[in-house]
Amino acid sequence: MKEQIIQRVEEALAHLRAQGTLPAQPCPPVQLERTRDKSHGDFATNIALLLAKPAGMKPRDVATAIVDALPADAAISKVEIAGPGFINFFQAGAFLTDSLSAALADEHLGVPRAAAPQTVVVDYSSPNLAKEMHVGHLRSTIIGDAVARTLEFLGHTVVRQNHVGDWGTQFGMLLAYLEEQQDQAELSAELSDLENFYRAAKQRFDDSPEFAERARALVVQLQSGDIHCLKLWHDFNQVSLRHCFEVYERLGVSLRPEDVRGESAYNPDLPYVVAELDKAGLLTESEGARCVFLDEFKNKDGEPLPVIVQKADGGYLYATSDLAALRYRAQKLGADRILYFVDQRQALHFQQVFQVARLAGFVTPKTDLAHMGFGTMNGPDGRPFKTRTGGTVKLVDLLTEAEDRALALVQGKNPELDAEELFNIARVVGISAVKYADLSKHRTSDYIFNFDQMLSFEGNTAPYLLYAYTRVASVFRKAGIEPATLDLSAPLALDAEQEVALATLLLQFGETLQQVAEKGVPHLLCAYLYNLAGAFSSFYEHCPILTAQQTEVRDSRLHLAWLTARTLKQGLALLGIATLERM
RNA sequence: GCGCCUGUAGCUCAAUUGGAUAGAGCAACGGCCUUCUAAGCCGUCGGUUGCAGGUUCGAGCCCUGCCAGGCGUACCA
C-alpha cells in the first residue's frame, strides 16, 4: 500500500515536472508515513513542504498541484491537504478487507519476502567459556536471536555465529586446576557449577606461585598444540558449552552447536591476518607491538591510536581474531551483511576493526558491517545488576527466580489447574517475562530490571500479550470451532471502529518486521504486538464475536480474531517467545 | 584531556530518524461483570523534553555553549 501511494505521487511529480510547474531538478525521495492521528487519514506525505522552496511556491499550492495531478487509484478513497501542506491519504475500505483476506489465506500472513535476499551473519551470545553465563549475556543472546529469526522470516539466509571465548590466558589457570583434581566425583561436582570452579582456580592461582607457574606453562603448551593440553582444554569447553546449551534450551534460543565458532577456530589464521596487513602496508611497529594506526582515532594525548594486532611478546589480541572472523565471514561464508550484537562499550573496538578490515580488503566495500550495540541491564538502584553481596548474577539463577515468581502468581490466579499445566504455564510466563522485558526496551539504552514489573499483567509485558492470545484461543475453544475449517473466502465486514483499528494494525505486521530487520531493534516488534493485543482487547470488549446477531458479522469477527491470534503467535515466535492456549 | 552515549510525567519506558496537539503502562482518582477468561475494558489527573542560544514553514530529535551522569581511550576481552 505504502509503495503504491509513493508510486502515484512520483507519477504526479513527474507530470508536474514535464509540465514545468515544478523545476526539473531531482527532488528528494517521497516519504510516506503512517499518521498518528486518524483524522489525518491513513498515510501522509510532506513532499509539498520539501518542494515549496525550490519551486518558489507556497507549500499548499504545491500540495494542490500534486493532488490535482494524482492518478486515480481504487485503493485510495480520499486525498486531503492539511496543515502547512501535508497531503493526507485515506485508504479505501475495500482495500483493507481485500488485504486482510489475502493475509488470512497466506501462510506467511501477507508479509512479503525480501526481493533481494541477503546472506546475513549474526554474531550473538558469544559467552566466555571460562565462566558460567551471567546476566550480562542475556541481552546479546535474546536480541540477536530475535533479529536472526526476523531476518529469516523475511527470506534472508541467516548464518548464526556464536563467537565464544574459548581461548586466552585464563584457560591456563583452569587447565592447571583441572589437572590437579584427581577425584573425579569431586571434579564433576565442581564443574557442574563453573562459577565456583573458576573462583577456586583463581584462588589457587593467587595463592600458589607454583600453580601460577604451571598455569602459564600450560598456556604455552596449549598454544603450541600439546596433545595432553588440548584434550584437557577440549573437555573443559565441552562441559562449559553444555552449560550454555542448557541455558539456550530454557530460554528458547535458536542457537545450535554447529553455530559455535569460537575464538580458537581462528587461531591458525592469525599469522596470515598479520601478514596480509603487512602486505597491504598497514602495519607499523611501535614499542615492540605490531599495530595499524588509523588517523581518525586518537589516544588520550591526541596522538594516533593504534589497533594492536600482535603484542610485543608475539601474542595476538582480540582485534586480531575479530579481523580473522571478519575475513572468514565475508570470504568463506559469503556475507552481504554482518551484525554484531555486542555490548555498546565495544563501539570503538568495532569501528577500528571494521575500518582495518576494509583497508585490508578482508571485506568488500559493499559488505554491510554493523555493530548492534546495546546498553546495560541495571538493578533497581540504576547501577549494573548485581547480587546483594555485589557478585555477578548467574543467568540460570535469574531464570529460576523468574519461574518461581511466575508460579506463585499463576497459582494465586488459577489454583484449579493441575500441577503439570501449572508448571508449564509458570515456566512460559516466567521466561517470556524476562525476555520480553528486555526486548521491549530500545536496544541502545540501559534499562532497569524489575521482576514485579515484567511479571505484571498490565502494561507492555509478556503476560499481557500471552493473555490476549489465550482469549482468542478461548473463543474458538468455547465455540468448538476448528480454525482450519473457517471459510477464509467469506467477505469481511468492518463496521465498528474497533474492527477497523484492529484490521489496520494487522496489516502493519510486515512493515514492522522490515524495520526490526533493518535496524536490529526488536522493541519495535514488541510495541507493535502490544498495540495489537490492546486493539484486540478493545475489539473483544466492544464487539461480541460468538453472540453476534448476524452470521456474516460473526464470521467476519472470527476471521479477525483468527488473524490476530496467528499474528500474535508468529510475532512472539520471532521474539523467541512461546504462546499458551490457556493460562 | 579527547571521543562516544544518555538526560522526556512522581516511577518504568516510547516517540515511524525533522512533522501536525510529545504518547503508553505503573502509581492516584472514577466508572463497567445474570452476556466469548474482569489476568480485561472505558475515562480523569499528570510535561517549560537538563539549561541557554541558533538553524526553518516546523526541533525531544540537527548545530553551538554550558550543567549532570555513564562508558571508552597501547599490548585483557
Side-chain angles (χ1 to χ4, degrees):
Chain A
M1 182 68 190
K2 213 165 176 174
E3 286 66 33
Q4 197 175 330
I5 296 176
I6 289 173
Q7 182 59 36
R8 293 285 176 265
V9 175
E10 294 281 12
E11 285 167 31
L13 292 175
H15 181 251
L16 292 175
R17 272 196 294 270
Q19 223 179 32
T21 312
L22 289 175
Q25 305 134 9
C27 67
V30 175
Q31 291 206 4
L32 192 76
E33 291 167 352
R34 291 263 177 199
T35 55
R36 296 172 203 262
D37 185 340
K38 286 288 283 177
S39 68
H40 296 141
D42 297 295
F43 297 93
T45 179
N46 61 356
I47 193 68
L49 293 160
L50 299 178
L51 290 175
K53 187 168 275 183
M57 296 166 67
K58 287 183 193 160
R60 287 191 69 107
D61 292 345
V62 179
T64 308
I66 293 171
V67 171
D68 289 343
L70 216 51
D73 190 320
I76 305 168
S77 65
K78 190 166 63 160
V79 182
E80 279 181 355
I81 297 166
F86 290 104
I87 304 174
N88 294 335
F89 298 87
F90 294 76
Q91 63 188 353
F95 175 80
L96 201 58
T97 50
D98 288 352
S99 306
L100 276 180
S101 297
L104 270 163
D106 182 6
E107 286 283 315
H108 213 243
L109 302 171
V111 177
R113 286 166 175 86
Q118 291 185 308
T119 295
V120 186
V121 169
V122 184
D123 179 320
Y124 68 104
S125 194
S126 309
N128 183 350
L129 296 189
K131 297 189 189 179
E132 201 161 325
M133 285 183 85
H134 57 88
V135 293
H137 296 113
L138 183 68
R139 301 213 71 186
S140 174
T141 304
I142 65 181
I143 297 173
D145 201 48
V147 174
R149 288 172 190 264
T150 303
L151 284 163
E152 267 171 346
F153 186 73
L154 292 176
H156 298 288
T157 301
V158 171
V159 184
R160 291 167 173 76
Q161 289 284 280
N162 196 353
H163 191 77
V164 299
D166 60 357
W167 203 250
T169 46
Q170 75 264 50
F171 280 88
M173 180 180 88
L174 296 168
L175 298 192
Y177 191 67
L178 197 61
E179 207 177 40
E180 261 187 12
Q181 304 302 306
Q182 296 300 329
D183 187 333
Q184 288 301 311
E186 196 179 307
L187 178 62
S188 79
E190 287 205 51
L191 278 174
S192 72
D193 187 333
L194 273 187
E195 212 50 39
N196 285 340
F197 186 84
Y198 185 91
R199 256 199 300 275
K202 182 83 167 65
Q203 189 67 246
R204 284 284 290 141
F205 187 87
D206 291 340
D207 293 349
S208 159
E210 296 79 37
F211 181 88
E213 190 51 45
R214 177 65 185 151
R216 276 188 278 270
L218 281 171
V219 174
V220 175
Q221 281 186 38
L222 181 64
Q223 284 172 347
S224 62
D226 177 80
I227 301 290
H228 166 68
C229 260
L230 280 175
K231 177 156 190 336
L232 280 179
W233 171 78
H234 179 262
D235 290 349
F236 178 86
N237 281 337
Q238 286 309 110
V239 172
S240 186
L241 275 172
R242 210 151 44 232
H243 283 257
C244 291
F245 279 93
E246 276 168 23
V247 173
Y248 295 155
E249 178 73 28
R250 275 180 81 177
L251 271 175
V253 164
S254 65
L255 283 166
R256 295 150 309 168
E258 53 267 39
D259 301 322
V260 173
R261 190 174 169 87
E263 288 174 331
S264 64
Y266 300 102
N267 222 29
D269 298 350
L270 302 182
Y272 297 103
V273 167
V274 174
E276 283 186 46
L277 292 175
D278 198 13
K279 213 182 324 168
L282 294 167
L283 233 45
T284 308
E285 190 164 316
S286 172
E287 295 173 34
R290 309 185 80 184
C291 318
V292 180
F293 284 93
L294 299 169
D295 294 337
E296 52 268 63
F297 304 106
K298 305 265 198 268
N299 71 3
K300 55 186 88 172
D301 302 318
E303 291 152 10
L305 187 65
V307 180
I308 301 177
V309 293
Q310 191 167 19
K311 297 194 284 185
D313 68 4
Y316 300 100
L317 293 103
Y318 73 133
T320 329
S321 57
D322 269 334
L323 284 168
L326 262 170
R327 197 177 66 147
Y328 171 80
R329 291 164 184 185
Q331 297 175 6
K332 292 277 175 18
L333 298 178
D336 299 306
R337 194 177 178 211
I338 309 175
L339 308 179
Y340 288 84
F341 288 88
V342 181
D343 195 304
Q344 191 64 46
R345 283 175 296 198
Q346 294 193 34
L348 177 61
H349 164 72
F350 281 108
Q351 278 182 48
Q352 293 176 322
V353 167
F354 292 167
Q355 181 70 4
V356 172
R358 287 193 197 287
L359 290 173
F362 292 163
V363 302
T364 72
K366 57 184 185 58
T367 310
D368 181 4
L369 306 176
H371 171 215
M372 300 288 183
F374 50 82
T376 37
M377 178 170 139
N378 291 330
D381 56 353
R383 306 290 308 161
F385 198 78
K386 292 275 164 64
T387 59
R388 281 179 197 80
T389 53
T392 53
V393 179
K394 284 161 65 171
L395 202 39
V396 282
D397 293 341
L398 185 88
L399 299 181
T400 300
E401 180 164 358
E403 288 172 346
D404 289 349
R405 284 171 177 257
L407 181 63
L409 284 171
V410 176
Q411 221 156 11
K413 299 280 187 194
N414 215 342
E416 69 274 15
L417 289 169
D418 65 77
E420 193 187 339
E421 188 170 8
L422 191 69
F423 279 107
N424 185 49
I425 292 172
R427 189 179 56 78
V428 172
V429 169
I431 298 294
S432 64
V434 170
K435 293 183 77 171
Y436 190 84
D438 194 311
L439 290 167
S440 61
K441 270 85 177 179
H442 194 105
R443 169 167 57 74
T444 55
S445 56
D446 299 343
Y447 78 96
I448 293 179
F449 186 90
N450 182 324
F451 274 121
D452 292 328
Q453 222 161 57
M454 69 181 70
L455 284 164
S456 165
F457 291 86
E458 288 157 345
N460 191 6
T461 64
Y464 178 81
L465 292 185
L466 294 174
Y467 177 65
Y469 179 82
T470 64
R471 288 181 113 180
V472 189
S474 165
V475 169
F476 283 95
R477 201 166 44 239
K478 190 85 167 187
I481 296 172
E482 183 54 46
T485 64
L486 289 175
D487 174 14
L488 299 177
S489 64
L492 286 146
L494 306 174
D495 295 316
E497 58 173 307
Q498 289 86 357
E499 291 175 305
V500 177
L502 179 59
T504 305
L505 215 41
L506 281 168
L507 295 176
Q508 292 174 36
F509 188 44
E511 63 199 60
T512 303
L513 296 182
Q514 196 61 44
Q515 291 197 60
V516 172
E518 270 171 30
K519 301 171 193 159
V521 283
H523 84 283
L524 289 182
L525 177 53
C526 295
Y528 169 79
L529 294 173
Y530 176 54
N531 285 333
L532 183 64
F536 177 78
S537 290
S538 210
F539 159 81
Y540 182 88
E541 296 284 339
H542 296 97
C543 306
I545 302 169
L546 301 177
T547 52
Q549 297 298 310
Q550 300 139 301
T551 51
E552 303 85 71
V553 174
R554 178 177 178 273
D555 288 350
S556 176
R557 288 178 177 170
L558 271 172
H559 285 148
L560 273 180
W562 175 228
L563 186 58
T564 303
R566 287 167 62 195
T567 306
L568 281 175
K569 186 170 188 143
Q570 181 64 65
L572 287 168
L574 294 178
L575 294 173
I577 292 175
T579 43
L580 294 162
E581 298 303 310
R582 275 198 308 182
M583 62 188 280

